Amino acid sequence: MGSLSKKDIVEFATITAIIIVAFTVYIVKEFSTPLLYGIDGPYYYIQVSSILKCGHLKYPDPPLAFYILTCFSIILGDVTIGIKVGSVLVTLIAAYAVYYLVRKVTRTIGGLVAVLIFVFSPMLVRLSFDLIKNAMGLTFLLFTVLFYYLSLKRRSFVLSILSAYFIVLTGLTHVLDFAVAYIVISLTSLTLINKRTDLKLTITPFLFGSTLLILGFLNPYIMGGDPYKGISFIRSLINNRAFMSNVLELSKVIFPALLGIAGFITSIKLKNAIDKRLLLTLSIILILLNLPIYPQQFLWRFNLMTVVFAPIILGVIVGGMKDLKVGLVLSLVVLGFVLPQFTSQIYMVKPSISLGEYYEIKQLVSKMPKDTVLVVPNTKLRYWIETLTSKVAKSVKDVPPRSRIIIVLEKTLKHKRPLPPITKPFYNGLFISAYLLPPKPLRP
């Protein structure tokens, strides 16, 4: 491997500068409130706090993201700050993989356009603030693809091992990211099966990924039981009548579909067989992920994964244009389409509760009598309360005997079941109310 040229250093510095600008934008938004964003924001606080206090996760889940965020929390001295800074930084590091993947297929301009589309994607905003594990897993997913591609291009077994290593990291972070990485490697390998490629280069990441998947089914602590979500998806798909209900979502899937077709056409024009097969694979997967036949609870997540494919395909299209001026104009048009959506999305994201509601929760917890358990049926509210006290349960049946019970409800929600007549009002705020129950008796 030769020494770095001046051009290499300038390219790396340019991508780093773009990442720093994007990091600043994201962090300013993160710290515009002391609360964590998204419905799962407090969940990350609970998991990281559990690692710090007990040495393990409180709830089974793919563990890697939480341990990374724990390291940031230790370094920065605060769990909330660690989660905010760590999640954004790890996610944006993926831009390096995006750049070098596109740069090796085409020209520098293609890589730069791909990076700008990636870091300023409205979909990345949604993932970074609402689905933190998914966002962090993008980095491991994209480095898996990058090293796999380079291993085939350079016929390097060392790079194949690196790809295998990163697909394991992906699986230990998020199951959808892992599924995409696994499918990319599997399909690319199949399309190259008749080519003169070394079998050990194509098979090694696949074997590592397959081994992790098997272990994930056997041991829920490895991948948090997430592989079974794949089975749930297949069952939902078999029983699904979602096509008509997803007609309203066609506006979201049309762009990925058209982009996938454009990528397919572009792949035909590429001269190198490995470049051709990789872009073809990415284009096919992008189209398949955005078919309006999936149940809604899966389709919206699949659609967000467009953030992986769109920058690469658009970067290759721009970089492959013979006329540089045309490429620059197309780049400006694409960025002119992306940036307003990015600005709108970053303005819209918010925590799942207001500061006023959070302060009411803190006030309620401070007034809790000893030997009291808060029963909180609403998951969103329960996560926030768990950041302040461990004495929380989902339902009365989960409360230990002889414990006092306080039922906590969010006023904005309609509750199907009426409260028992023996309850007494305990707390009444603008956002939440709480009712005291007598101690739970011992079972005979």
Side-chain angles (χ1 to χ4, degrees), residues 10 16 32 48 67 79 101 108 143 149 241 275 307 334 339 344 354 358-359 374 386 388 396 407 423-424 431:
V10 170
T16 303
S32 63
V48 170
Y67 281 95
V79 173
L101 184 60
T108 300
F143 274 101
Y149 165 77
R241 296 179 181 177
D275 294 348
V307 73
V334 172
L339 289 176
S344 175
S354 66
Y358 180 70
Y359 291 141
L374 299 177
E386 278 192 77
L388 301 171
V396 173
I407 300 176
T423 58
K424 296 180 180 179
F431 303 97

Side-chain angles (χ1 to χ4, degrees), residues 64-78:
L64 184 57
F66 301 108
Y67 281 95
I68 292 173
L69 295 176
T70 299
C71 292
F72 276 97
S73 299
I74 293 170
I75 293 168
L76 298 173
D78 182 88

Side-chain angles (χ1 to χ4, degrees), residues 16-36:
T16 303
I18 294 172
I19 291 173
I20 290 172
V21 171
F23 178 80
T24 303
V25 174
Y26 281 76
I27 285 297
V28 167
K29 179 63 178 182
E30 286 279 10
F31 286 97
S32 63
T33 174
L35 302 180
L36 289 160

Side-chain angles (χ1 to χ4, degrees), residues 280-409:
L280 175 65
T281 300
L282 295 177
S283 302
I284 291 172
I285 296 173
L286 175 59
I287 294 170
L288 292 177
L289 281 174
N290 287 278
L291 297 176
I293 61 172
Y294 305 132
Q296 185 57 37
Q297 68 267 32
F298 294 101
L299 180 61
W300 73 275
R301 283 181 174 268
F302 292 173
N303 178 253
L304 287 175
M305 293 303 289
T306 302
V307 73
V308 173
F309 305 94
I312 297 172
I313 295 172
L314 286 169
V316 172
I317 291 173
V318 170
M321 290 188 169
K322 295 180 180 179
D323 191 329
L324 183 59
K325 292 181 180 179
V326 175
L328 288 172
V329 171
L330 180 60
S331 303
L332 292 174
V333 170
V334 172
L335 291 172
F337 176 75
V338 169
L339 289 176
Q341 293 187 58
F342 170 82
T343 304
S344 175
Q345 186 66 57
I346 207 163
Y347 175 78
M348 289 172 58
V349 291
K350 59 183 180 179
S352 58
I353 63 172
S354 66
L355 269 175
E357 187 169 356
Y358 180 70
Y359 291 141
E360 285 191 4
I361 292 169
K362 289 184 73 173
Q363 192 175 36
L364 169 63
V365 171
S366 68
K367 292 181 177 182
M368 282 175 60
K370 291 183 178 179
D371 303 320
T372 300
V373 176
L374 299 177
V375 173
V376 192
N378 178 251
T379 302
K380 177 193 73 174
L381 190 59
R382 186 169 66 253
Y383 281 163
W384 280 110
I385 293 176
E386 278 192 77
T387 66
L388 301 171
T389 177
S390 60
K391 296 180 179 180
V392 183
K394 183 178 181 180
S395 64
V396 173
K397 65 180 181 181
D398 300 322
V399 177
R402 293 182 177 175
S403 298
R404 292 184 180 184
I405 298 171
I406 293 178
I407 300 176
V408 186
L409 303 174

